[in-house]
Amino acid sequence: TLEETARADLQLLVLDASDGNICEQYQTVLQVLKEIDALNAPRIIVLNKIDSVKDMFTLRRLENNFPQAMRVSALEKTGFDKLISAIRQMLFGAQKTYELPLEKAEILELIRKTGILISSEWQENAIKIEAQVSGKAQSLLAPYEILHD
């Protein structure tokens, strides 16, 4: 519903790339989002049916009008890996590496509940973790982040 849209952590605006009125439809959606005070929420624009767009002029117009949009084809099942990666990035931030002391192992459960635990390697004195986290988990893990050059 519109109420949930206003409270969403992330909006996915799925537009039909094959529709000649895509820009007008997008403007209508933005107007509705403005009316429900949801215009400033983080969002990803998704151009679906990109496989249906055959001419270069239309492709260039879509690229110019929606430069940050994710291009997918539900029919051909393409573009979804990038879309999932973008969703993860927007919700949980970048994937980072941490070296967590063994006595802080309980943080792993918080990561599993509130973020994405990509890998964990138990070592002699620490747990090496690859994760995407935000909020409290990010604050707790910050001192243990391994910074890469």
Side-chain angles (χ1 to χ4, degrees):
T1 66
L2 293 178
E3 184 177 318
E4 279 119 4
T5 301
R7 293 191 324 247
D9 293 327
L10 176 65
Q11 299 170 356
L12 293 180
L13 298 185
V14 181
L15 303 172
D16 182 347
S18 68
D19 191 315
N21 295 319
I22 188 172
C23 291
E24 292 82 3
Q25 291 176 356
Y26 178 63
Q27 291 303 317
T28 300
V29 170
L30 292 181
Q31 183 59 40
V32 171
L33 291 175
K34 183 178 179 182
E35 289 170 9
I36 64 169
D37 200 27
L39 192 57
N40 294 323
R43 91 177 43 91
I44 297 174
I45 299 169
V46 181
L47 299 179
N48 190 26
K49 299 184 184 179
I50 199 69
D51 57 292
S52 297
V53 181
K54 303 296 184 193
D55 68 281
M56 292 304 291
F57 174 77
T58 303
L59 280 173
R60 294 287 178 247
R61 186 173 61 92
L62 290 171
E63 288 173 2
N64 288 334
N65 289 325
F66 306 101
Q68 302 299 318
M70 307 301 301
R71 294 181 284 278
V72 302
S73 168
L75 180 66
E76 295 182 357
K77 298 176 178 58
T78 58
F80 289 96
D81 289 341
K82 287 182 180 180
L83 176 58
I84 290 167
S85 179
I87 292 168
R88 285 181 172 178
Q89 176 80 22
M90 297 227 20
L91 290 176
F92 302 108
Q95 179 176 325
K96 295 182 180 179
T97 305
Y98 304 93
E99 195 166 279
L100 192 62
L102 293 176
E103 60 270 12
K104 300 286 185 178
E106 72 276 0
I107 296 175
L108 282 174
E109 189 59 30
L110 181 63
I111 296 169
R112 287 186 182 100
K113 288 181 180 177
T114 63
I116 301 171
L117 180 62
I118 296 160
S119 68
S120 61
E121 179 186 333
W122 290 73
Q123 301 171 337
E124 188 174 327
N125 296 318
I127 310 163
K128 187 174 182 182
I129 298 168
E130 294 282 335
Q132 286 179 269
V133 294
S134 62
K136 182 179 179 183
Q138 184 178 29
S139 298
L140 291 171
L141 285 170
Y144 310 110
E145 183 179 350
I146 298 172
L147 300 174
H148 300 285
D149 294 333

